[in-house]
Amino acid sequence: MTKNQSLSQIYLDSNATTPVLPAAAKAAFNAMEETFGNPSSSHITGLRAKNLMEQTRKSAMRFLGVGNGKLVFTSGATEGIQTAILSSLVAAKKNIKSGESYTLLYGATEHKAVPNSLHHWNELLEINAEIKAIPVNHRGELDLDFIEKEIDNALMICTMAVNNETGVYQDLNKLEQAIRSTDNDVFWMVDCVQALGKRKLDLQATTIDYAPFSGHKLYAPKGVGLVYIRENAPFTPFIAGGGQESGLRSGTENLPGMAALKVIFDTLNGDAEDKFADHTQLTLYRNQLLSALKEAFPDVVLNHPLDNTVPTTLNFAVPHFASKEIMDLFDAANIRVSSGSACSSKVTRSFVLDAMGLPSWQSESAIRMSFGPLMTQEKCDAACARIKMAAKALGESCLMVKPAENQKLVDGLLELKSGNSCCWLYTDADSKTAVIIDPLPELISRIVNIVNCQKLKVAAVLDTHGHADHQSSRPELEAQLKMVTKTDQLGWPKHFDTAYVGENAYPTIRIGDKALLRVKTPGHTDDSVSYLLTENIDAVKPHFKYAFCGDTILMGSLGRTNFCTSSSEQMYHSLHKLNELLASTTLICASHDYHNEFTTTLITECDRNTLLSNVLSTQSSINEFCEQKSVLDSNLNDQTGCEIQCGAYVEIDESLPIVEYDKNELSILLEKDHDAKLVDIREPHEYMLQHGIKAEENVPMTRLVEFIAQHLSDKDKRYILVCRSGTRSLVVAQALARLGFTNIGHVQGGYALNS
Ligand code: PLP
């Protein structure tokens, strides 16, 4: 383990939360030490506390233009949202006529707190209104025609002043005209959380009924917020109890939070020592950050217009990079941003960008960069420099369009994944020759970058079979690589050598001094083949280092055989053929990896897959195998819209012996056991950017299978794996343990909690 100087953190995630302004923290501390009274107490300490609370309210009322309305303290915006929705629905319920249908409207890009609360209270109060999302256009603006059409049946409408993912703001005047276009008394809530300090608000000049605010989005601590209630708007307390806040919100008040909030509102009112940057200055910072992004990632795409967004938010996508990859890169460079997305079962994507109708890739690649009005020129300059530094590291690992000079050539096997599908790139560094197996459409540009950046000659782009779940991207990749060799339908060159294994001849292509043999392994489909890579083709019995078996043998399963071109009888014979050719150390590289296992061997599979072991030990006859296989295949998931499972599962063992280390345990171990090795399993660009504590060796997950191949003879060596948060290192540790590595540990919580 080595140690170099840490890079200071650059925090660009203010829409998630902000640090507390030092003066606000001081005021909160003072409220804990000095003005600590209970505002309900009638003695002097209590009176002082009550005074502090009312001073805060006064300052907030002045800034927000509350007029004759009320401001009630809450624990944050989520509580404010509940309060507004509960108040509206309790009042609306009184006027509901049976037989009539009603709606609750909310903007499609609203924070999830809003629709989820609407559903909750609609059900709990038995209102049973239809809950409808108001569509937005590609600029994130609400569809006013939709509102005008729907508003008469609506009991409540919830919109937001500024969106938290994109910074898009709504034109509240136009919105008000649409909402009040007919003579209706619909209750209107505007979520103002992201507008505070970024957009001018004069609530009394509007017909907004409720507006929640949250302290922690603007330099106050978490756990304090406010909700505005228009004069005469109905109110139902969300929390009943001791009658604090004139009975509107019970519970002893969060005085330290309020003391901090007072400093923030005083600053907004221009009455404090600290000054917030104004709109013009914030726009200059935003432009500077955007220029830095464009310089760092020349093909960066903005996910929103600039003319209807607050200057403190930038939401962008870098083509061919998932949000997670850019997040990991920035985190390694000690820049904090957010993926601006919500997690769905399969991929990380943004429902906000989806609602705006942006292309799917933009939603999957979205990154949000946000800052607050405490931004300074110095911080902005530092952020821009760091962004460029991070992008340079990407270039050095051959992942950028404009690669850096003198990259180290990738030798051996590289695994590229998209979802659960795997693509393999094998390179012989001496001859700079490569072969690509099972290319995926999402990875084309990445592969082209690697090939061009490393100046590789591609001997072949191969499919292991005609895939059922996607079109082959081979022709497209061959075109982009300007390959002209004549091939068959799976990419095998028309002209090839022949190699003998025993008596049998196999079509072969050379990759430098290595050879790739093609073996027909029908079953999953009738055109399925396996490609076997050897480094000693001239030996009497060549040893195959890798077997690219496509969907014939998958980790924990066998390829399904219930397509129209499948045959379980043929699979039975193909499995026997592979068993004859593969050694116990041959690594099987499948075209799917549903459980993050990376690779496997025949022995590992036979240990847990009785179907396979019975075939190979000839305990199962061909008929028995076909019967059992058909039962397994009938359990496969074929729902439309889901990724097709290409294999039928057998049991997966989750109880693997992984030792977890924290920082102290790790340093004791490394001091005691000089043979133990700390291995960083992040990608090279992340490793390159790592500052502070750094592992001696980097084995990125994309190179893990090559690492396994090289260390199969030394499975008892102790490896401790580390990554950013401990998630990837655990996955890799489990994969190694499954393959029989006996001394694998990982750093729980990764660098995030241990450096
Ligand atoms: N509304 C918006 C627009 C937000 O950005 C957030 C926080 O992310 C919330 C509501 C919820 O705020 P709180 O964390 O104060 O409950």
Side-chain angles (χ1 to χ4, degrees), residues 55-195:
Q55 292 300 321
T56 306
R57 197 184 326 262
K58 208 165 140 198
S59 185
M61 287 182 80
R62 187 174 136 214
F63 182 74
L64 299 172
V66 165
N68 294 329
K70 287 190 274 285
L71 265 189
V72 176
F73 287 107
T74 61
S75 62
T78 303
E79 187 189 325
I81 291 165
Q82 307 309 302
T83 308
I85 292 176
L86 179 68
S87 299
S88 302
L89 297 195
V90 166
K93 192 174 177 180
K94 292 181 186 142
N95 299 319
I96 281 179
K97 298 188 190 89
S98 69
E100 300 252 331
S101 53
Y102 297 98
T103 56
L104 301 173
L105 304 178
Y106 71 95
T109 58
E110 221 68 18
H111 187 280
K112 283 291 173 211
V114 172
N116 289 347
S117 306
L118 282 173
H119 281 279
H120 180 71
W121 292 111
N122 186 42
E123 199 182 311
L124 224 63
L125 297 173
E126 296 178 340
I127 306 260
N128 301 324
E130 189 185 350
I131 300 176
K132 283 192 178 178
I134 310 161
V136 295
N137 63 16
H138 69 284
R139 291 167 51 81
E141 294 157 346
L142 288 166
D143 183 339
L144 301 183
D145 292 340
F146 180 95
I147 294 176
E148 283 184 24
K149 241 186 326 183
E150 295 279 341
I151 202 72
D152 273 347
N153 287 335
L155 302 173
M156 181 177 198
I157 176 163
C158 302
T159 64
M160 70 201 310
V162 173
N163 184 270
N164 46 307
E165 286 193 23
T166 58
V168 166
Y169 56 76
Q170 302 296 328
D171 183 331
L172 292 179
N173 289 332
K174 283 195 185 153
L175 192 53
E176 183 169 50
Q177 278 167 28
I179 292 172
R180 307 296 180 203
S181 57
T182 58
D183 185 20
N184 65 64
D185 50 7
V186 64
F187 301 118
W188 180 23
M189 180 189 84
V190 180
D191 177 342
C192 289
V193 170
Q194 300 288 350

Side-chain angles (χ1 to χ4, degrees), residues 175-231:
L175 192 53
E176 183 169 50
Q177 278 167 28
I179 292 172
R180 307 296 180 203
S181 57
T182 58
D183 185 20
N184 65 64
D185 50 7
V186 64
F187 301 118
W188 180 23
M189 180 189 84
V190 180
D191 177 342
C192 289
V193 170
Q194 300 288 350
L196 189 63
K198 294 144 198 173
R199 289 282 288 166
K200 179 121 192 62
L201 291 167
D202 186 15
L203 294 168
Q204 64 195 324
T206 73
T207 59
I208 295 169
D209 295 295
Y210 307 95
F213 295 90
S214 184
H216 74 101
K217 307 286 182 179
L218 196 74
Y219 308 117
K222 286 145 197 76
V224 67
L226 289 159
V227 61
Y228 160 80
I229 303 126
R230 185 154 75 115
E231 190 183 14

Side-chain angles (χ1 to χ4, degrees), residues 586-722:
T586 303
L587 294 180
I588 295 173
C589 303
S591 58
H592 293 281
D593 179 7
Y594 297 104
H595 293 286
N596 283 320
E597 296 184 280
F598 299 88
T599 186
T600 191
T601 62
L602 273 183
I603 289 183
T604 312
E605 286 312 299
C606 282
D607 274 353
R608 63 176 174 179
N609 188 338
T610 25
L611 191 58
L612 179 66
S613 65
N614 285 347
V615 170
L616 299 188
S617 63
T618 56
Q619 276 182 38
S620 286
S621 69
I622 192 159
N623 288 345
E624 282 164 344
F625 171 73
C626 294
E627 253 169 51
Q628 288 164 10
K629 188 70 179 33
S630 127
V631 174
L632 262 187
D633 283 347
S634 65
N635 296 327
L636 284 168
N637 173 6
D638 252 343
Q639 288 161 337
T640 37
C642 287
E643 190 169 358
I644 290 182
Q645 284 179 1
C646 289
Y649 285 105
V650 292
E651 327 93 62
I652 302 277
D653 178 12
E654 296 296 350
S655 58
L656 294 160
I658 312 294
V659 187
E660 299 194 316
Y661 293 90
D662 67 16
K663 194 173 157 180
N664 294 336
E665 291 158 344
L666 181 66
S667 54
I668 293 169
L669 174 84
L670 295 179
E671 226 161 80
K672 222 170 51 187
D673 180 353
H674 293 288
D675 279 344
K677 204 160 207 179
L678 184 66
V679 179
D680 187 327
I681 52 92
R682 298 175 303 165
E683 291 310 301
H685 46 268
E686 293 173 75
Y687 178 70
M688 203 179 300
L689 288 163
Q690 177 64 31
H691 283 72
I693 291 170
K694 189 165 178 168
E696 276 161 54
E697 193 174 343
N698 177 216
V699 179
M701 285 167 88
T702 42
R703 303 271 295 146
L704 185 69
V705 180
E706 178 68 29
F707 174 86
I708 293 171
Q710 285 169 12
H711 293 81
L712 277 174
S713 56
D714 190 16
K715 283 187 181 171
D716 295 330
K717 189 173 165 66
R718 194 183 299 276
Y719 293 105
I720 321 298
L721 313 173
V722 62

Side-chain angles (χ1 to χ4, degrees), residues 112-395:
K112 283 291 173 211
V114 172
N116 289 347
S117 306
L118 282 173
H119 281 279
H120 180 71
W121 292 111
N122 186 42
E123 199 182 311
L124 224 63
L125 297 173
E126 296 178 340
I127 306 260
N128 301 324
E130 189 185 350
I131 300 176
K132 283 192 178 178
I134 310 161
V136 295
N137 63 16
H138 69 284
R139 291 167 51 81
E141 294 157 346
L142 288 166
D143 183 339
L144 301 183
D145 292 340
F146 180 95
I147 294 176
E148 283 184 24
K149 241 186 326 183
E150 295 279 341
I151 202 72
D152 273 347
N153 287 335
L155 302 173
M156 181 177 198
I157 176 163
C158 302
T159 64
M160 70 201 310
V162 173
N163 184 270
N164 46 307
E165 286 193 23
T166 58
V168 166
Y169 56 76
Q170 302 296 328
D171 183 331
L172 292 179
N173 289 332
K174 283 195 185 153
L175 192 53
E176 183 169 50
Q177 278 167 28
I179 292 172
R180 307 296 180 203
S181 57
T182 58
D183 185 20
N184 65 64
D185 50 7
V186 64
F187 301 118
W188 180 23
M189 180 189 84
V190 180
D191 177 342
C192 289
V193 170
Q194 300 288 350
L196 189 63
K198 294 144 198 173
R199 289 282 288 166
K200 179 121 192 62
L201 291 167
D202 186 15
L203 294 168
Q204 64 195 324
T206 73
T207 59
I208 295 169
D209 295 295
Y210 307 95
F213 295 90
S214 184
H216 74 101
K217 307 286 182 179
L218 196 74
Y219 308 117
K222 286 145 197 76
V224 67
L226 289 159
V227 61
Y228 160 80
I229 303 126
R230 185 154 75 115
E231 190 183 14
N232 299 327
F235 191 89
T236 297
F238 173 60
I239 303 179
Q244 287 89 346
E245 287 286 83
S246 312
L248 301 183
R249 198 274 190 186
S250 289
T252 302
E253 296 85 345
N254 171 3
L255 209 68
M258 293 171 188
L261 210 50
K262 177 175 183 303
V263 176
I264 303 304
F265 278 105
D266 287 349
T267 309
L268 288 166
N269 282 322
D271 295 341
E273 241 175 66
D274 286 296
K275 298 282 168 256
F276 284 151
D278 63 16
H279 187 272
T280 313
Q281 187 58 52
L282 291 174
T283 308
L284 290 174
Y285 294 144
R286 193 251 320 261
N287 294 348
Q288 191 183 336
L289 281 168
L290 186 55
S291 303
L293 279 172
K294 285 182 175 163
E295 193 183 324
F297 306 99
D299 45 1
V300 67
V301 174
L302 259 192
N303 292 330
H304 54 86
L306 291 178
D307 62 350
N308 67 341
T309 51
V310 290
T312 44
T313 304
L314 279 169
N315 192 313
F316 60 89
V318 181
H320 317 300
F321 287 93
S323 338
K324 168 89 175 65
E325 291 174 299
I326 298 291
M327 283 274 296
D328 287 343
L329 169 76
F330 279 5
D331 236 357
N334 233 352
I335 306 170
R336 307 288 175 249
V337 292
S338 137
S339 61
S341 355
C343 255
S344 78
S345 57
K346 203 174 135 202
V347 274
T348 307
R349 52 185 308 118
S350 157
F351 75 88
V352 171
L353 302 184
D354 288 346
M356 287 163 68
L358 263 56
S360 199
W361 77 265
Q362 271 172 260
S363 173
E364 285 160 21
S365 303
I367 292 289
R368 177 184 73 186
M369 204 171 244
S370 54
F371 56 95
L374 280 184
M375 180 58 115
T376 61
Q377 190 57 57
E378 198 187 340
K379 285 187 200 163
C380 188
D381 292 344
C384 292
R386 192 75 65 80
I387 290 166
K388 290 179 206 167
M389 179 179 121
K392 191 161 169 269
L394 257 197

